[in-house]
């Protein structure tokens, strides 16, 4: 492996609005749906993604899933089809005591030509622990990692947590805990994944918030990818993504709007049940919805069946809780929450309802909610924009209500992690600004539960405590439609939405 690698290429990303402009200049022409040929052997895949980078492709936030879906990054573990922890950079692991796990590494290389060593892995995890804001996968958890001497193979890493953590292997599968080489980090700890990750595709060029180029990493431990590279395009407009697939300008298009699905040939549509739930999050810290009775009034005003039937045209199920039908064990363990507060009278209270258009159904959902809330007596101002432009304001609590599509198992695969990250006082992604002692206690109890059944029961008790506050109103449980060109095979249709292309994806 040559140590001579191209310099890192991530500059500050320009968060400019994406236009649904003609795409012919973005990809080489390929009207038959095939990818473009490459001198390295194999075709390049042309992929349209819905979300432009919001955080300079940092692996510690929302952009982490962009990197994992494109096959750039990976962690010590991954999730299998059943949601259990599976080997990735760690070939195996064992629990030494309540707080300590030993992960045995496989022989692998970073894209900069250096070896994946225990010291490099431990240092990478240490950077993630120090990152601010903290990765959602580490919400409520402090861990330390130490390199073990290499007795054989690639060595091992011992990970110790501040409290017993029975789901640590699941937690380490999070895209936000991807392992990068020492060259990825600057003096301030910021991480640059260009040429420093371990996945089958290496990020080689980024054009602001519009496109990225990836080349095959031939020394990938999992085998040489069949595609020679990926030309990724960030297209926020769902109609433009569908049109790009229809006209053969892209090979794969994620998140096809339900309104566009009927216009695609049946053999190009792939529908996947996911663990994604769309919810109405009400700001419980300030504004009109600081009043619990007005949150109850908003919850009572929402008719979720209308959203599933009309907005999603049957491609979603009416909201029943934080966890939907794709979390197969949840329904049998769910206890409907008892209302904590009776609905009050809005009396024209003015609220700002916001959502984003990267998922094209959400503005329509928000419009229906606006009508339902106004019928109940609220005065509603609607704000719609690109997610990257709204996220910081949403995290700061500048909206009274926010419509969010959230994959409940994407961060760790553990049902408790999303509760800690999204709904507790110290949660790093708490868009509802919820801080409730009963909720924190229920989530803490769930975090401490050992054993699969016990943890699931505790998660459902915590879900009931959260829903009792009326700060979270589940709307629909989504199925996603992925557009796949007729000559493309091996696309990874992942209910956790962490992966999209892999070594076997080709056109």
């Amino acid at each position: 492996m040559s140590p001579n690698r191209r310099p890192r290429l991530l500059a500050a990303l320009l968060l400019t609005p994406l236009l649904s402009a003609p795409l012919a200049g973005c990809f080489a022409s390929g009207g038959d749906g095939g990818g473009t040929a490459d001198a390295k052997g194999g075709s390049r895949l042309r992929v349209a993604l819905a979300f432009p980078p919001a955080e300079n492709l940092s692996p510690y936030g929302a952009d982490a899933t962009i990197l994992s879906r494109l096959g750039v990054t990976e962690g010590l573990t991954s999730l299998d089809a059943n949601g259990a922890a599976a080997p990735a950079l760690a070939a195996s692991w064992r629990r030494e005591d309540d707080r300590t796990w030993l992960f045995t590494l496989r022989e692998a290389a970073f894209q900069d030509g250096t070896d994946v060593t225990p010291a490099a892995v431990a240092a990478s995890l240490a950077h993630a622990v120090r990152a601010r804001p903290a990765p959602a996968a580490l919400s409520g958890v402090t861990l330390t990692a130490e390199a073990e001497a290499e007795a054989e193979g690639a060595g091992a890493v011992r990970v110790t947590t501040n409290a017993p953590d029975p789901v640590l292997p699941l937690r380490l599968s999070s895209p936000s805990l991807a392992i990068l080489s020492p060259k990825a980090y600057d003096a301030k700890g910021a991480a640059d994944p260009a040429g420093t990750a371990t996945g089958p595709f290496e990020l080689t060029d980024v054009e602001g918030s519009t496109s990225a180029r990836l080349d095959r990493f031939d020394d990938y431990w999992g085998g040489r990818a069949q595609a020679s590279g990926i030309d990724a395009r960030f297209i926020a407009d769902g109609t433009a993504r569908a049109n790009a697939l229809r006209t053969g300008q892209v090979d794969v298009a994620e998140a096809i709007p339900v309104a566009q699905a009927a216009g695609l040939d049946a053999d190009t549509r792939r529908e996947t049940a996911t663990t994604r739930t769309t919810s109405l999050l009400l700001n419980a810290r300030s504004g009109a919805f600081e009043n619990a009775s007005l949150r109850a009034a908003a919850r009572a005003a929402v008719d979720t069946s209308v959203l599933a039937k009309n907005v999603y045209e049957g491609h979603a199920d009416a909201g029943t809780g934080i966890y939907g039908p794709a979390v197969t064990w949840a329904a049998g363990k769910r206890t409907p929450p008892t209302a904590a507060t009776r609905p009050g009278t809005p009396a024209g209270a003015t609220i700002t309802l916001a959502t984003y258009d990267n998922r094209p159904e959400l503005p329509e959902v928000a419009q229906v909610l606006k009508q339902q809330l106004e019928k109940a007596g609220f005065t509603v101002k609607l704000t719609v924009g690109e997610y990257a432009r709204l996220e910081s304001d949403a995290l700061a609590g500048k909206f009274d209500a926010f419509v969010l599509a959230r994959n409940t198992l994407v961060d760790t695969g553990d049902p408790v992690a999303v509760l800690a990250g999204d709904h507790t006082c110290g949660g790093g992604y708490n868009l509802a600004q919820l801080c409730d002692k009963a909720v924190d206690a229920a989530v803490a109890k769930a975090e401490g539960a050992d054993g699969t059944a016990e943890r699931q029961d505790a998660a459902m008790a915590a879900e009931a405590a959260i829903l009792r506050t009326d700060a979270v109103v589940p709307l629909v449980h989504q199925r996603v439609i992925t557009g796949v060109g007729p000559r493309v095979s091996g696309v990874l249709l992942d209910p956790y939405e962490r992966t999209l292309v892999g070594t076997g994806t080709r056109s």
Side-chain angles (χ1 to χ4, degrees):
M1 293 177 285
S2 171
N4 297 320
R5 314 296 294 181
R6 56 183 61 80
R8 289 183 281 168
L9 297 165
L10 286 183
L13 297 177
L14 304 175
L15 296 179
T16 53
L18 293 181
L19 304 177
S20 52
L23 298 175
C26 304
F27 299 103
S29 177
D32 62 355
T36 57
D38 189 283
K40 292 181 67 176
S43 296
R44 293 185 64 83
L45 288 167
R46 301 162 302 168
V47 178
L49 300 180
F51 289 86
E55 299 165 336
N56 293 355
L57 284 179
S58 166
Y60 301 136
D63 291 354
T65 54
I66 296 176
L67 297 168
S68 67
R69 286 173 71 74
L70 290 175
V72 176
T73 56
E74 57 192 351
L76 286 177
T77 61
S78 61
L79 288 184
D80 68 15
N82 297 316
L89 289 174
S92 63
W93 53 88
R94 60 184 173 87
R95 193 173 189 179
E96 296 185 320
D97 58 44
D98 283 352
R99 298 191 301 113
T100 307
W101 297 72
L102 186 69
F103 292 84
T104 300
L105 304 181
R106 68 173 72 250
E107 292 187 5
F110 291 111
Q111 293 160 353
D112 60 13
T114 61
D115 291 335
V116 174
T117 64
V121 171
S124 186
L125 290 174
H127 279 289
V129 169
R130 293 192 296 267
R132 292 295 178 268
L138 294 180
S139 179
V141 175
T142 300
L143 62 81
T144 57
E146 297 178 344
E148 285 294 298
E150 296 189 25
E152 58 182 43
V157 175
R158 178 170 284 108
V159 181
T160 303
T161 55
N162 60 322
D165 187 11
V167 296
L168 183 65
L170 281 177
R171 193 180 303 282
L172 293 177
S173 74
S174 171
S176 63
L177 298 181
I179 302 301
L180 303 178
S181 82
K183 296 179 182 178
Y185 306 98
D186 65 18
K188 296 182 179 180
D192 181 350
T196 61
T198 61
F201 295 101
E202 177 185 354
L203 183 66
T204 58
D205 191 22
V206 178
E207 294 293 334
S209 60
T210 59
S211 66
R213 179 183 172 90
L214 302 90
D215 290 337
R216 179 171 56 209
F217 175 45
D218 288 339
D219 292 325
Y220 178 55
W221 64 264
R224 190 170 181 259
Q226 295 186 36
S228 61
I230 300 171
D231 295 313
R233 189 76 179 173
F234 304 111
I235 307 174
D237 185 274
T239 300
R241 286 197 303 279
N243 286 339
L245 182 74
R246 247 190 305 264
T247 57
Q249 296 179 61
V250 301
D251 303 307
V252 180
E254 70 169 2
I256 296 295
V258 294
Q260 298 294 322
L264 296 178
D265 292 339
D267 63 352
T268 65
R269 297 194 306 265
R270 307 285 191 277
E271 184 168 323
T272 310
T274 73
T275 55
R276 180 173 297 279
T277 296
T278 296
S279 299
L280 174 65
L281 305 176
L282 305 178
N283 186 340
R285 185 182 66 185
S286 61
F289 291 128
E290 186 177 6
N291 184 328
S293 71
L294 291 188
R295 297 200 300 273
R299 181 254 307 153
V302 173
D303 182 353
T304 61
S305 64
V306 171
L307 301 173
K309 180 180 179 181
N310 296 342
V311 176
Y312 286 88
E313 301 179 14
H315 295 285
D317 302 295
T320 55
I322 292 173
Y323 310 105
V327 185
T328 54
W329 52 263
K333 295 176 178 284
R334 177 169 287 118
T335 301
T338 303
T341 306
R342 295 185 62 179
T345 303
T350 299
I351 60 172
T352 299
L353 171 64
T355 194
Y356 47 101
D357 53 12
N358 306 74
R359 296 190 180 276
E361 294 82 17
L362 296 188
E364 190 175 350
V365 168
Q367 187 62 49
V368 173
L369 291 177
K370 180 177 185 292
Q371 295 169 2
Q372 293 179 350
L373 292 170
E374 287 176 339
K375 185 177 180 180
F378 291 95
T379 300
V380 183
K381 298 179 180 179
L382 185 60
T383 296
V384 176
E386 198 174 310
Y387 180 82
R389 292 178 170 271
L390 297 177
E391 183 186 57
S392 60
D393 284 347
L395 287 169
K398 294 185 179 180
F399 304 118
D400 298 297
F402 197 84
V403 179
L404 176 75
R406 176 76 157 129
N407 193 315
T408 57
L409 298 184
V410 70
D411 290 325
T412 65
D414 170 36
V416 179
V418 72
L419 306 183
D422 290 18
H423 307 300
T424 62
C425 296
Y429 197 63
N430 188 351
L431 299 188
Q433 312 297 313
L434 180 62
C435 189
D436 182 278
K437 291 181 179 180
V439 168
D440 276 20
V443 172
K445 182 177 180 180
E447 288 180 314
D450 206 341
T452 300
E454 293 81 3
R455 199 168 183 86
Q456 290 173 353
D457 290 341
M460 297 312 294
E463 179 199 67
I466 292 164
L467 297 181
R468 193 169 181 264
T469 68
D470 291 323
V472 180
V473 182
L475 300 174
V476 294
H477 305 295
Q478 289 184 237
R479 303 170 214 148
V480 296
I481 302 170
T482 305
V484 180
R487 294 179 56 184
V488 177
S489 62
V491 173
L492 305 177
L493 302 175
D494 178 11
Y496 309 104
E497 300 182 273
R498 294 178 170 195
T499 58
L500 183 64
V501 295
T503 56
T505 313
R506 60 176 300 171
S507 64

